[in-house]
Amino acid sequence: MSTPGERVLIKGNEAICRGAVDAGCQCFFGYPITPQNDIPEYMSKVMPNLGRVFVQAESEVAAANMLLGAAACGIRAMTSSSSPGISLKQEAISYMGGTELPAVIVNISRGGPGLGDIGPSQGDYYQAVKGGGHGDYRQFVLAPGTVQEAYDLIGKAFDLAFAYRNPVMLLGDAIIGQMMEPVTLGSNKETESNSPDLGWNLTGKGQRDPRLLKSLHLTDGALAGHNLRLRDKYASMEKDVLFENFLVDDAELIVVAFGSIGRIAKSTIRKMRASGKKVGLHRPITLFPFPSRELDRLAASGKRFLTIEHNLGQMVEDVRLAIRKHADSDFYGHLPGNLPTPEDFEQPILAALGVRS
Amino acid sequence: MKNGKEAFTLPGVLADVPTHYCPGCQHGVAQRLVAECLDELALAEKAICIGSIGCSVFIYNYLLVDCVEAPHGRAPAVATGVKRARPDTAVFTYQGDGDLASIGMAETMHCANRGERVTIIFVNNTVYGMTGGQMAPTTMVGQRTTTCPGGRCADNEGQPIKMTEIIASLGGTAYAARVAVDSVKHVRAAKKAVRRAFEAPLNNLGLGFVEILATCPTNWKMTPVQANERIAAELIPYFPLGTFKDMAGVDSNEETEVAE
């Protein structure tokens, strides 16, 4: 456990672990895959010493289903993986969505499709945000842009998971996972969600009526009712939307970028501002719910947009949907397989500004 | 009631509702045995049942205990998560042959190998019941199903898998037995085996596993009587009954060591 205010230099993967431990994560179920191996390695060392649970499962599939079991007990639990491993976890994530179980899933994503490579990429946006598993469900998706945020957001992830009884995904990438930065610890706190009886969770029935947690709804109209209720729940998540606006007020062009790319784009914008270019940044922190309302507001004030992603264009669809009444968005996709620098984004931004190089 | 003595009562943990099972199906018998053991071991208050896929999924409508539903084959992984999260509970899965021996083979074996303190009730009727009678990993060679209409062919589809022998070979298994519910004698032995499969994890010895050979008259296209006869004539010779492992080492449970 961290001391409040403790300042350390750590990797993003370790920040996620320390954030989860501080937030009261009682069970971790993992399986090795690069570039997130630091997470199960750290948890295997720390969790048993705290009297908590670490299990290296036989597969990503099993790890996600162990998570389902622990979540059904109302216990703060987590799993982590990287892109191909997340694909294997999707079955259980859909079940946890349907069963309304609070669980935290970390994706330190890598290049794809298929085995792809182990370098950074944002190619899992669709899978994370649109629902990579079957059926009509949504999950909170939190995308940290710094190692500090990785620590802070994993605590937020547990709070949101229990507030909405819903899976929450922390979507990082190999940059966030492997980068070291100074982080202030201790702000994540365990809440009452690890208490024995939350009114819905499995504890063994004792003297009360038995509880059943399931996603099967066979009687006429039952599933439709369930889906409508879930829809309303997903809509209510809007109130917890998170984003960062950086120098947007006087900007002619707003760059929209998330996660580590948002952070790199911020450096580009800072540099271009010094040479008088009126550029700002909008960085969605929750990718679901998406900050559509804020983007619409920015678009209504006459801004132009450039979406930058570390993929061939996925979030740009949500940006265009959000600003469609007022504007369109250009797109620049930095190809996976190498790490972009702030300079890499200068030409695309100049082009979107209509400046000839 | 005969002579003022009640011989047959509803176990307290068994819901007083009609089941959805087909006539002659032995899920009802198997679930009653589970219910009786939960009652006798006074586990209803701390039991957590992991529902699976297929006909067995509806066990949660018939047992008055806390339940969670697992994806196809993953019940042993879900059970692992539940038991690790709440070590003070009595956790059990109730799975069919497609669930446990096909898609869930890895989860089943690793759960046993880790010695999870859970009970696995495995109902083997050699066919996928709910989906309409397709081939299972335990389908007998020559048995016709909707996906082996010419009869299971060992060269093409392999041999029926003997799960209890596999599970008994794993280090974390404390108890593994195969029983049948085709006769009164076998049902009595089955009850003892189910009870011991619950006791093994409760006594912190490891995983408890019991395979129950049961009928599926609908998909076997037999009468219930013919289906029972098939268990004795065809299934038991290939899937021998008995206790394959018992770490407690007491009460060798002769009644499960059925000599045919």
Side-chain angles (χ1 to χ4, degrees):
Chain A
M1 303 291 285
S2 307
T3 313
E6 189 183 346
R7 189 96 170 135
V8 290
L9 179 68
I10 50 174
K11 284 166 88 169
N13 282 341
E14 184 179 342
I16 290 166
C17 294
R18 299 192 70 165
V21 168
D22 288 350
C25 177
Q26 296 295 317
C27 297
F28 178 87
F29 308 103
Y31 190 79
I33 181 171
T34 307
Q36 61 85 56
N37 293 318
D38 317 85
I39 298 178
E41 286 171 357
Y42 183 94
M43 294 306 242
S44 72
K45 269 186 292 202
V46 169
M47 294 290 273
N49 290 337
L50 292 169
R52 304 185 191 181
V53 173
F54 168 85
V55 179
Q56 179 170 324
E58 62 270 29
S59 67
E60 289 91 342
V61 175
N65 282 284
M66 290 175 189
L67 177 68
L68 186 159
C73 295
I75 299 290
R76 288 195 162 203
M78 179 173 117
T79 190
S80 67
S81 194
S82 181
S83 308
I86 293 292
S87 296
L88 291 168
K89 292 183 192 293
Q90 290 295 348
E91 171 192 55
I93 296 173
S94 167
Y95 274 75
M96 289 188 281
T99 314
E100 296 189 82
L101 297 181
V104 175
I105 303 110
V106 175
N107 182 2
I108 303 300
S109 67
R110 55 191 255 182
L115 210 45
D117 67 15
I118 56 169
S121 159
Q122 295 183 327
D124 294 359
Y125 179 90
Y126 282 153
Q127 187 191 47
V129 172
K130 307 298 181 185
H134 59 282
D136 215 344
Y137 77 95
R138 297 289 178 177
Q139 63 185 356
F140 262 100
V141 183
L142 307 175
T146 64
V147 176
Q148 179 71 56
E149 257 185 18
Y151 174 88
D152 295 338
L153 288 178
I154 199 75
K156 182 94 181 160
F158 280 105
D159 292 342
L160 290 170
F162 277 83
Y164 289 95
R165 273 186 63 187
N166 206 74
V168 177
M169 178 173 284
L170 186 93
L171 180 63
D173 61 13
I175 301 174
I176 289 287
Q178 296 298 323
M179 178 169 63
M180 288 185 97
E181 284 190 293
V183 178
T184 304
L185 304 174
S187 55
N188 289 347
K189 293 280 180 274
E190 188 172 342
T191 67
E192 67 285 356
S193 56
N194 272 325
S195 66
D197 195 338
L198 303 165
W200 57 265
N201 55 327
L202 305 187
T203 60
K205 77 177 180 65
Q207 299 303 310
R208 61 165 168 74
D209 289 339
R211 289 174 183 158
L212 169 59
L213 296 173
K214 62 167 187 166
S215 57
L216 182 67
H217 300 275
L218 287 179
T219 45
D220 274 354
L223 182 61
H226 182 59
N227 283 342
L228 285 172
R229 206 172 49 73
L230 289 179
R231 182 196 64 181
D232 292 347
K233 179 171 88 169
Y234 302 146
S236 76
M237 293 173 177
E238 168 76 24
K239 66 179 177 292
D240 281 303
V241 74
L242 295 170
F243 56 84
E244 178 195 3
N245 279 337
F246 177 65
L247 304 177
V248 294
D249 290 345
D250 66 337
E252 292 169 23
L253 178 79
I254 293 177
V255 172
V256 186
F258 75 94
S260 46
I261 298 302
R263 195 257 188 76
I264 294 167
K266 196 172 179 178
S267 299
T268 317
I269 287 162
R270 211 177 262 126
K271 185 179 170 197
M272 294 180 81
R273 277 275 173 175
S275 60
K277 302 288 185 297
K278 289 198 168 179
V279 191
L281 173 74
H282 174 83
R283 181 171 66 92
I285 296 173
T286 53
L287 302 181
F288 185 89
F290 196 66
S292 305
R293 198 167 293 175
E294 176 64 7
L295 280 166
D296 176 67
R297 187 187 71 80
L298 293 170
S301 64
K303 313 288 186 191
R304 285 148 60 202
F305 292 86
L306 168 68
T307 303
I308 299 180
E309 296 180 72
H310 205 175
N311 59 39
L312 297 176
Q314 298 188 20
M315 180 180 72
V316 65
E317 292 185 4
D318 286 334
V319 174
R320 286 178 172 144
L321 205 56
I323 63 178
R324 67 192 182 283
K325 291 180 204 157
H326 315 286
D328 195 1
S329 175
D330 287 349
F331 175 72
Y332 172 68
H334 192 87
L335 289 176
N338 56 50
L339 185 71
T341 64
E343 290 70 35
D344 287 326
F345 298 156
E346 283 183 29
Q347 280 308 318
I349 291 174
L350 288 172
L353 278 167
V355 177
R356 290 189 185 174
S357 55
Chain B
M1 253 190 265
K2 204 173 179 182
N3 303 327
K5 189 181 167 193
E6 202 167 38
F8 197 73
T9 57
L10 192 70
V13 76
L14 200 60
D16 189 9
V17 294
T19 68
H20 74 292
Y21 295 111
C22 302
C25 167
Q26 289 171 337
H27 269 300
V29 180
Q31 289 175 13
R32 186 186 168 95
L33 295 180
V34 171
E36 287 178 357
C37 290
L38 289 173
D39 265 8
E40 288 169 18
L41 296 168
L43 293 179
E45 291 184 7
K46 66 174 197 171
I48 296 182
C49 171
I50 317 297
S52 57
I53 299 288
C55 298
S56 31
V57 66
F58 291 116
I59 189 169
Y60 53 55
N61 289 335
Y62 311 132
L63 292 188
L64 300 173
V65 297
D66 275 5
C67 282
V68 59
E69 190 179 70
H72 195 188
R74 318 299 176 213
V78 175
T80 300
V82 169
K83 183 66 179 180
R84 296 291 186 116
R86 292 202 180 275
D88 54 334
T89 54
V91 180
F92 67 99
T93 73
Y94 184 90
Q95 303 172 258
D97 39 57
D99 194 81
L100 179 139
S102 193
I103 187 170
M105 176 67 100
E107 283 78 4
T108 308
M109 289 182 65
H110 285 277
C111 182
N113 197 52
R114 284 190 303 268
E116 297 295 340
R117 270 44 173 177
V118 303
T119 300
I120 293 179
I121 309 292
F122 168 41
V123 180
N124 176 8
N125 60 13
T126 76
V127 75
Y128 282 68
M130 185 179 267
T131 46
Q134 296 84 8
M135 186 183 71
T138 50
T139 294
M140 299 297 286
V141 171
Q143 181 180 342
R144 293 171 189 272
T145 76
T146 58
T147 51
C148 51
R152 181 176 185 156
C153 167
D155 283 347
N156 201 43
E157 289 108 17
Q159 302 275 351
I161 293 177
K162 300 183 178 184
M163 283 308 301
T164 304
E165 286 84 338
I166 292 172
I167 296 302
S169 75
L170 298 170
T173 303
Y175 179 79
R178 184 184 289 115
V179 297
V181 286
D182 62 319
S183 67
V184 172
K185 182 182 169 194
H186 284 167
V187 170
R188 288 206 178 109
K191 167 81 175 289
K192 290 193 176 183
V194 170
R195 189 178 162 119
R196 291 187 71 77
F198 274 103
E199 286 171 337
L202 287 175
N203 294 330
N204 207 27
L205 297 170
L207 180 122
F209 182 93
V210 60
E211 174 176 349
I212 303 174
L213 298 180
T215 55
C216 181
T218 300
N219 287 306
W220 291 1
K221 306 195 187 317
M222 291 177 175
T223 65
V225 171
Q226 287 169 335
N228 261 338
E229 288 167 357
R230 179 183 180 235
I231 286 187
E234 197 181 340
L235 266 53
I236 290 174
Y238 182 84
F239 292 113
L241 305 185
T243 305
F244 290 77
K245 188 173 193 180
D246 190 347
M247 294 290 282
V250 292
D251 179 10
S252 65
N253 198 4
E254 286 171 10
E255 283 186 69
T256 61
E257 307 270 12
V258 178
E260 290 300 316

